[in-house]
């Protein structure tokens, strides 16, 4: 006998039509999992034509505008850069809201919580529900369907979105009311990007003293300070693997700027956040915005007059 919950899930899958906007590094794998796992999918046209064409081969259809995407969908997933892009897709000319129909919008972007809360209030009067469901992990996890999701919003809306989220996530946490998911995401990124800044500065100091990245790694790896983020970071440091952690320094700076605004609005002191943001700002303003987060280590080393490359010769 099929459990009642599974019957309900299958019925929903046969009825809910999914729209997806933002098939970039993360979104491509997410969208592919959605369509491959039985949902009817429409994707918004994107500059990455290779991603669009791949998804169409998997059975997705393409919409030319956000309004057209809304007309073809019951639930719309957004995976774009941040709040300005979300607001443009939702409330801009030919945006999702212009379709004038009830929708559930699930914002998987890393957005400003204040924008998310304001947008949710504005949309509710139009019969549109919004939940914020940002992501953790990497594009490889998006492809594998093993992302982590932290979701804020109304309980009923969250449960309605859950079967879709489960197609690309292995861990889903309901964090509370709308905006709490994006708040948690900023805290999550503060911790991870803070580690990136710490690793980078420690490696530069070590290189100054003749301690190579390989020696540093031999001490940290397998100990209490080891973690998956450390391991992907050091895939670049030691192996020069550019695919290890594909998250741009410019996006890190954007997230840390959101954190700073959130701290200011909350009246909270955030001195470590300011220091981490400055490390990313320095990298971006010196022309490294499109480099990935582990490459912060090279920027920091260079500014200190040393190199972390295996063949480098540094002063004792």
């Amino acid at each position: 006998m099929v459990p009642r919950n599974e019957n309900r899930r299958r019925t929903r899958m046969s009825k809910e039509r999914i729209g997806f906007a933002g098939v970039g590094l993360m979104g491509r794998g997410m969208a592919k999992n959605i369509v491959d796992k039985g949902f009817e999918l429409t994707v918004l046209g994107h500059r990455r034509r290779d991603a669009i064409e791949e998804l169409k081969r998997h059975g997705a259809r393409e919409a030319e505008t956000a309004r057209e995407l809304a007309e073809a969908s019951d639930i719309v997933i957004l995976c774009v850069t941040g709040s300005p892009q979300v607001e443009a897709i939702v409330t801009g000319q030919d945006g999702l809201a212009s379709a004038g129909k009830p929708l559930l919008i699930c914002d998987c972007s890393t957005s400003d919580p204040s924008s998310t809360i304001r947008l949710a209030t504005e949309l509710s009067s139009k019969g549109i529900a919004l939940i914020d469901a940002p992501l953790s992990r990497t594009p490889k996890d998006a492809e594998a369907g093993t992302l982590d999701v932290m979701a804020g919003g109304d309980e009923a809306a969250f449960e309605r979105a859950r079967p879709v989220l489960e197609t690309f996530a292995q861990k889903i946490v309901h964090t509370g009311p709308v905006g709490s998911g994006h708040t948690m995401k900023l805290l999550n990124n503060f911790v991870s990007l803070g580690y990136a800044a710490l690793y980078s500065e420690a490696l530069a100091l070590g290189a100054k003293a003749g301690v190579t990245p390989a020696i540093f790694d031999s001490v940290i790896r397998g100990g209490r300070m080891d973690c998956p983020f450390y391991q992907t970071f050091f895939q670049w440091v030691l192996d020069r693997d550019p695919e290890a952690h594909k998250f741009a320094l410019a996006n890190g700076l954007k997230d840390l700027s959101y954190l700073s605004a959130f701290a200011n609005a909350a009246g909270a002191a955030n001195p470590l956040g300011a220091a981490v943001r400055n490390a990313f700002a320095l990298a971006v303003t010196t022309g490294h915005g499109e480099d990935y987060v582990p490459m912060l280590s090279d920027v920091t080393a260079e500014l200190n007059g040393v190199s972390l490359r295996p063949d480098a010769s540094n002063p004792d």
Side-chain angles (χ1 to χ4, degrees):
M1 178 180 294
V2 179
R4 180 178 299 177
N5 286 345
E6 181 63 17
N7 274 328
R8 189 177 298 133
R9 180 175 181 273
R10 288 178 181 177
T11 300
R12 175 166 289 156
M13 285 182 68
S14 68
K15 290 182 178 179
E16 301 277 32
R17 301 168 302 159
I18 312 304
F20 200 104
V23 291
L25 288 175
M26 294 289 273
R28 181 179 192 154
M30 295 162 63
K32 188 150 69 73
N33 273 297
I34 291 171
V35 69
D36 285 350
K37 293 176 182 177
F39 284 96
E40 181 180 324
L41 180 69
T42 303
V43 294
L44 183 63
H46 193 274
R47 66 181 182 276
R48 292 190 63 181
R49 292 308 306 174
D50 58 333
I52 293 291
E53 296 305 324
E54 178 189 20
L55 290 166
K56 287 166 70 173
R57 288 194 296 271
H58 282 252
R61 291 178 292 183
E62 182 179 2
E64 294 185 2
T65 67
R67 177 174 183 152
E68 185 181 328
L69 185 72
E71 290 169 346
S73 307
D74 303 305
I75 299 174
V76 176
I77 309 293
L78 306 180
C79 189
V80 294
T81 304
S83 293
Q85 293 77 21
V86 170
E87 292 176 9
I89 289 173
V90 175
T91 61
Q93 185 176 6
D94 283 331
L96 297 174
S98 70
K101 58 172 287 189
L103 281 175
L104 171 58
I105 299 174
C106 182
D107 181 12
C108 293
S109 319
T110 300
S111 299
D112 180 345
S114 64
S115 169
T116 302
I117 293 167
R118 183 176 63 252
L119 190 59
T121 301
E122 178 184 339
L123 293 174
S124 65
S125 64
K126 301 177 181 179
I128 300 174
L130 174 70
I131 67 171
D132 46 319
L135 317 162
S136 183
R137 295 185 180 266
T138 68
K140 290 182 180 178
D141 294 291
E143 287 281 345
T146 55
L147 291 171
D148 294 344
V149 172
M150 51 213 89
D154 174 77
E155 180 76 30
F158 167 70
E159 288 301 332
R160 182 181 169 195
R162 184 192 285 275
V164 187
L165 301 176
E166 287 175 343
T167 65
F168 54 76
Q170 66 174 357
K171 180 180 180 182
I172 303 169
V173 177
H174 187 206
T175 53
V178 68
S180 63
H182 281 145
T183 299
M184 186 61 227
K185 173 62 173 177
L186 294 185
L187 300 178
N188 179 85
N189 279 19
F190 172 37
V191 172
S192 63
L193 299 175
Y195 270 117
L198 283 171
Y199 299 154
S200 298
E201 194 166 319
L203 285 164
L205 289 170
K208 281 280 193 181
V211 176
T212 66
I215 292 173
F216 183 96
D217 179 69
S218 68
V219 172
I220 301 297
R221 191 172 295 270
R224 292 183 66 190
M225 299 309 298
D226 194 359
C227 64
F229 183 89
Y230 173 88
Q231 292 163 18
T232 56
F233 193 95
F234 270 73
Q235 276 179 250
W236 167 256
V237 174
L238 297 177
D239 303 326
R240 298 284 138 177
D241 178 4
E243 302 294 309
H245 193 121
K246 296 172 72 173
F247 186 75
L249 289 167
N251 281 337
L253 177 59
K254 180 263 298 181
D255 294 352
L256 291 164
S257 298
Y258 283 165
L259 178 77
S260 177
F262 171 71
N264 287 339
N270 186 218
L272 291 179
V276 175
R277 184 189 177 281
N278 284 342
F280 277 75
L282 191 57
V284 172
T285 56
T286 52
H288 299 279
E290 297 307 308
D291 290 350
Y292 295 137
V293 164
M295 298 172 189
L296 179 65
S297 59
D298 288 330
V299 178
T300 305
E302 181 182 344
L303 291 169
N304 280 280
V306 291
S307 174
L308 303 179
R309 294 184 177 278
D311 57 354
S313 177
N314 293 314
D316 293 334

